[in-house]
Amino acid sequence: AQSVAQPEDQVNVAEGNPLTVKCTYSVSGNPYLFWYVQYPNRGLQFLLKYITGDNLVKGSYGFEAEFNKSQTSFHLKKPSALVSDSALYFCAVVNTGFQKLVFGTGTRLLVSP
Amino acid sequence: DTEVTQTPKHLVMGMTNKKSLKCEQHMGHRAMYWYKQKAKKPPELMFVYSYEKLSINESVPSRFSPECPNSSLLNLHLHALQPEDSALYLCASSQALAGAGETQYFGPGTRLLVL
């Protein structure tokens, strides 16, 4: 079985401050991990993914995520938040040979001016 | 280009209507997906096609009928829907199936309202 937990329904941060959106996962075997962002009434946009290799993954729009195998986490980070980053963020996981991408419940990020 | 297109953007239908949702990608992807998403919830997988063959059906009611006419197109035929089927329907595609670590690229979705 595989699952993803996003423990925070909402994260509030001031513009210019660093942001973190948390994600932990549970899989049997090696995980493939993804972050997607969704703006209102839009589809999901791919931000970044971890497959193998360097634990720090850099993605679109200045976002990055760190894979931590011992803590089974894949937190999304950005050094300086923008108001335009306000959106719904989904973490997702799939393990090798399993065909279904499993999403977390989502975290709403609100960046205040 | 990582674009997946979906038509229509919005659809209102009665419970006795028959309608279809369309999805298209020109990235040469061989896997295509239908998801259903309720407001403020994660997408729920409905169907997966791999090389134009149905690979996964997540026990979706028969009032939803998928079709993959060719490697670029994916349809979802709707018949006798219920009001609780109102949702955002998302199409996605990837080079290969999810288990290979392939990225799924999503379309903008069709907002469906069943009256």
Coordinates of all heavy atoms in Angstrom, one line a residue, chain B residues 56-102:
Chain B
I56 N -6.5 0.4 -16.2 CA -7.1 0.5 -14.9 C -8.5 1.1 -15.0 O -8.7 2.1 -15.6 CB -6.2 1.3 -13.9 CG1 -4.9 0.7 -13.7 CG2 -6.9 1.5 -12.6 CD1 -3.9 1.5 -12.9
N57 N -9.4 0.5 -14.3 CA -10.8 1.0 -14.1 C -11.0 1.0 -12.6 O -11.1 -0.1 -12.0 CB -11.8 0.2 -14.8 CG -13.3 0.7 -14.6 OD1 -13.5 1.4 -13.6 ND2 -14.2 0.3 -15.4
E58 N -11.1 2.1 -12.0 CA -11.2 2.2 -10.5 C -12.6 2.0 -10.0 O -13.2 2.8 -9.3 CB -10.6 3.5 -10.0 CG -9.1 3.6 -10.1 CD -8.4 2.8 -9.0 OE1 -8.5 3.1 -7.9 OE2 -7.7 1.8 -9.4
S59 N -13.2 0.9 -10.5 CA -14.6 0.6 -10.1 C -15.6 1.8 -10.4 O -16.4 2.1 -9.5 CB -14.7 0.2 -8.7 OG -13.8 -0.9 -8.4
V60 N -15.4 2.4 -11.5 CA -16.2 3.6 -11.8 C -17.6 3.1 -12.3 O -17.7 2.1 -13.1 CB -15.5 4.4 -12.9 CG1 -16.4 5.6 -13.3 CG2 -14.2 4.9 -12.4
P61 N -18.7 3.8 -12.0 CA -20.0 3.3 -12.4 C -20.1 3.4 -13.9 O -19.5 4.2 -14.6 CB -20.9 4.4 -11.8 CG -20.2 4.9 -10.6 CD -18.8 4.8 -11.0
S62 N -21.0 2.5 -14.5 CA -21.0 2.3 -15.9 C -21.6 3.5 -16.7 O -21.6 3.6 -17.9 CB -21.9 1.1 -16.3 OG -23.2 1.2 -15.7
R63 N -22.2 4.5 -15.9 CA -22.7 5.7 -16.6 C -21.5 6.5 -17.1 O -21.7 7.5 -17.9 CB -23.5 6.5 -15.6 CG -22.9 6.9 -14.3 CD -23.9 7.6 -13.4 NE -23.4 8.1 -12.2 CZ -23.3 7.4 -11.1 NH1 -23.8 6.2 -11.0 NH2 -22.8 8.0 -10.0
F64 N -20.3 6.2 -16.7 CA -19.1 6.8 -17.3 C -18.4 5.7 -18.2 O -18.1 4.7 -17.7 CB -18.1 7.2 -16.2 CG -18.5 8.3 -15.3 CD1 -19.2 7.9 -14.1 CD2 -18.3 9.6 -15.6 CE1 -19.7 8.9 -13.2 CE2 -18.8 10.6 -14.7 CZ -19.4 10.3 -13.6
S65 N -18.2 6.1 -19.5 CA -17.6 5.2 -20.4 C -16.5 5.8 -21.1 O -16.6 6.7 -21.9 CB -18.7 4.7 -21.4 OG -18.2 3.9 -22.4
P66 N -15.2 5.3 -20.9 CA -14.1 5.9 -21.5 C -13.9 5.3 -22.9 O -14.3 4.2 -23.2 CB -12.9 5.5 -20.6 CG -13.4 4.2 -20.0 CD -14.9 4.2 -19.9
E67 N -13.1 6.0 -23.7 CA -12.8 5.6 -25.1 C -11.5 6.2 -25.5 O -11.3 7.4 -25.2 CB -13.9 6.0 -26.1 CG -13.6 5.6 -27.5 CD -14.5 6.3 -28.5 OE1 -15.1 7.3 -28.2 OE2 -14.6 5.8 -29.6
C68 N -10.6 5.4 -26.1 CA -9.3 5.9 -26.6 C -9.2 5.6 -28.1 O -8.7 4.6 -28.4 CB -8.2 5.3 -25.8 SG -6.6 6.1 -26.1
P69 N -9.7 6.5 -28.9 CA -9.8 6.3 -30.4 C -8.4 6.1 -31.0 O -8.2 5.4 -32.0 CB -10.5 7.5 -30.9 CG -11.1 8.2 -29.8 CD -10.3 7.8 -28.6
N70 N -7.4 6.9 -30.5 CA -6.0 6.8 -30.9 C -5.1 7.3 -29.8 O -5.6 7.7 -28.8 CB -5.8 7.5 -32.3 CG -6.1 9.0 -32.2 OD1 -5.5 9.7 -31.3 ND2 -7.0 9.5 -33.0
S71 N -3.8 7.2 -30.1 CA -2.9 7.5 -29.0 C -2.9 9.0 -28.6 O -2.3 9.3 -27.5 CB -1.4 7.2 -29.5 OG -1.1 8.0 -30.7
S72 N -3.5 9.9 -29.3 CA -3.6 11.3 -28.9 C -4.9 11.7 -28.3 O -5.0 12.8 -27.7 CB -3.3 12.2 -30.2 OG -2.1 11.9 -30.8
L73 N -5.9 10.9 -28.4 CA -7.2 11.3 -28.0 C -7.8 10.4 -26.9 O -7.6 9.2 -26.9 CB -8.2 11.2 -29.2 CG -8.0 12.3 -30.3 CD1 -8.9 12.0 -31.5 CD2 -8.2 13.7 -29.8
L74 N -8.5 11.0 -26.0 CA -9.2 10.3 -24.9 C -10.6 10.9 -24.7 O -10.7 12.1 -24.6 CB -8.4 10.3 -23.6 CG -8.9 9.5 -22.5 CD1 -8.8 8.0 -22.8 CD2 -8.1 9.8 -21.2
N75 N -11.6 10.1 -24.7 CA -12.9 10.6 -24.5 C -13.5 10.0 -23.3 O -13.1 8.9 -22.8 CB -13.9 10.2 -25.7 CG -13.4 10.8 -27.0 OD1 -12.9 12.0 -27.1 ND2 -13.5 10.1 -28.1
L76 N -14.5 10.7 -22.7 CA -15.3 10.2 -21.6 C -16.7 10.4 -21.9 O -17.2 11.6 -21.9 CB -14.9 10.8 -20.3 CG -15.5 10.3 -19.0 CD1 -15.1 8.8 -18.8 CD2 -15.1 11.1 -17.8
H77 N -17.4 9.3 -22.2 CA -18.8 9.4 -22.5 C -19.7 9.4 -21.2 O -19.5 8.5 -20.4 CB -19.2 8.3 -23.5 CG -18.4 8.3 -24.7 ND1 -18.4 9.4 -25.6 CD2 -17.5 7.4 -25.2 CE1 -17.6 9.1 -26.6 NE2 -17.0 7.9 -26.4
L78 N -20.7 10.3 -21.2 CA -21.5 10.4 -20.0 C -22.9 10.1 -20.3 O -23.5 10.7 -21.3 CB -21.3 11.9 -19.4 CG -19.9 12.4 -19.3 CD1 -20.0 13.9 -18.9 CD2 -19.1 11.6 -18.4
H79 N -23.6 9.4 -19.4 CA -25.0 9.0 -19.7 C -25.7 8.8 -18.4 O -25.2 8.0 -17.5 CB -25.1 7.8 -20.6 CG -26.5 7.3 -20.8 ND1 -27.5 8.1 -21.2 CD2 -27.1 6.1 -20.5 CE1 -28.7 7.4 -21.2 NE2 -28.4 6.2 -20.8
A80 N -26.8 9.4 -18.2 CA -27.6 9.2 -17.0 C -26.9 9.5 -15.7 O -26.9 8.7 -14.8 CB -28.2 7.8 -17.0
L81 N -26.2 10.7 -15.7 CA -25.4 11.0 -14.5 C -26.3 11.5 -13.4 O -27.5 11.8 -13.6 CB -24.4 12.1 -14.9 CG -23.3 11.7 -15.9 CD1 -22.3 12.8 -15.9 CD2 -22.7 10.4 -15.5
Q82 N -25.8 11.5 -12.2 CA -26.4 12.0 -11.0 C -25.9 13.3 -10.6 O -24.7 13.6 -10.9 CB -26.2 10.9 -9.9 CG -26.7 9.5 -10.3 CD -28.2 9.5 -10.5 OE1 -29.0 10.0 -9.7 NE2 -28.6 8.9 -11.7
P83 N -26.6 14.1 -9.8 CA -26.1 15.4 -9.4 C -24.8 15.2 -8.6 O -23.9 16.1 -8.7 CB -27.2 15.9 -8.4 CG -28.4 15.3 -9.0 CD -28.0 13.9 -9.5
E84 N -24.5 14.1 -7.9 CA -23.3 14.0 -7.2 C -22.1 13.8 -8.1 O -20.9 13.7 -7.7 CB -23.4 12.8 -6.2 CG -23.7 11.5 -6.8 CD -25.2 11.2 -6.7 OE1 -26.0 12.1 -6.8 OE2 -25.5 10.0 -6.7
D85 N -22.3 13.6 -9.4 CA -21.3 13.5 -10.4 C -20.7 14.8 -10.8 O -19.7 14.9 -11.5 CB -21.7 12.7 -11.6 CG -22.1 11.3 -11.3 OD1 -21.4 10.6 -10.5 OD2 -23.1 10.8 -11.9
S86 N -21.3 15.9 -10.3 CA -20.8 17.2 -10.6 C -19.5 17.4 -10.0 O -19.3 17.1 -8.8 CB -21.8 18.3 -10.0 OG -23.1 18.2 -10.6
A87 N -18.5 17.8 -10.8 CA -17.1 17.9 -10.4 C -16.3 18.5 -11.5 O -16.8 18.8 -12.6 CB -16.6 16.5 -10.0
L88 N -15.0 18.6 -11.3 CA -14.0 19.0 -12.3 C -13.4 17.7 -12.8 O -12.9 16.9 -12.0 CB -12.9 19.9 -11.7 CG -11.8 20.3 -12.6 CD1 -12.4 21.3 -13.7 CD2 -10.7 21.0 -11.9
Y89 N -13.5 17.4 -14.1 CA -12.9 16.2 -14.7 C -11.6 16.6 -15.4 O -11.6 17.4 -16.3 CB -13.9 15.6 -15.6 CG -15.1 14.9 -14.8 CD1 -16.1 15.7 -14.4 CD2 -15.0 13.6 -14.5 CE1 -17.1 15.1 -13.6 CE2 -16.0 13.0 -13.7 CZ -17.1 13.8 -13.3 OH -18.0 13.2 -12.5
L90 N -10.6 15.9 -14.9 CA -9.2 16.2 -15.4 C -8.7 15.1 -16.2 O -8.9 13.9 -15.9 CB -8.3 16.4 -14.2 CG -8.6 17.6 -13.3 CD1 -7.8 17.5 -12.0 CD2 -8.2 18.9 -14.0
C91 N -8.1 15.4 -17.3 CA -7.4 14.5 -18.2 C -5.9 14.7 -17.9 O -5.4 15.8 -17.7 CB -7.7 14.7 -19.6 SG -6.8 13.7 -20.8
A92 N -5.1 13.6 -18.0 CA -3.7 13.7 -17.9 C -3.0 12.7 -18.8 O -3.7 11.8 -19.3 CB -3.2 13.4 -16.5
S93 N -1.8 13.0 -19.1 CA -1.0 12.0 -20.0 C 0.4 11.9 -19.5 O 0.9 12.9 -18.8 CB -1.0 12.5 -21.4 OG -0.2 13.6 -21.7
S94 N 1.1 10.8 -19.8 CA 2.5 10.6 -19.4 C 3.1 9.7 -20.5 O 2.5 9.0 -21.2 CB 2.6 10.0 -18.0 OG 2.0 8.8 -17.9
Q95 N 4.5 9.8 -20.5 CA 5.2 9.1 -21.5 C 5.0 7.6 -21.3 O 4.8 6.8 -22.3 CB 6.7 9.4 -21.4 CG 7.5 8.7 -22.4 CD 7.2 9.2 -23.8 OE1 7.0 10.4 -24.0 NE2 7.2 8.3 -24.8
A96 N 4.9 7.2 -20.1 CA 4.7 5.8 -19.7 C 3.8 5.8 -18.4 O 3.5 6.8 -17.9 CB 6.0 5.0 -19.5
L97 N 3.5 4.6 -17.9 CA 2.7 4.5 -16.7 C 3.4 5.0 -15.5 O 4.6 5.1 -15.4 CB 2.2 3.1 -16.5 CG 1.2 2.6 -17.6 CD1 0.9 1.1 -17.4 CD2 -0.1 3.4 -17.5
A98 N 2.6 5.3 -14.5 CA 3.1 6.0 -13.3 C 4.2 5.2 -12.6 O 5.1 5.8 -12.0 CB 1.9 6.2 -12.3
G99 N 4.1 3.9 -12.6 CA 5.1 3.1 -11.9 C 6.5 3.2 -12.4 O 7.4 2.8 -11.8
A100 N 6.7 3.8 -13.6 CA 8.0 4.1 -14.2 C 8.5 5.4 -13.7 O 9.6 5.9 -14.2 CB 7.9 4.0 -15.7
G101 N 7.8 6.1 -12.9 CA 8.2 7.4 -12.4 C 8.0 8.5 -13.4 O 8.5 9.6 -13.3
E102 N 7.1 8.3 -14.4 CA 6.9 9.3 -15.4 C 6.0 10.4 -14.9 O 5.0 10.1 -14.1 CB 6.2 8.7 -16.6 CG 7.1 7.7 -17.3 CD 8.3 8.4 -18.0 OE1 8.2 9.6 -18.3 OE2 9.3 7.7 -18.3

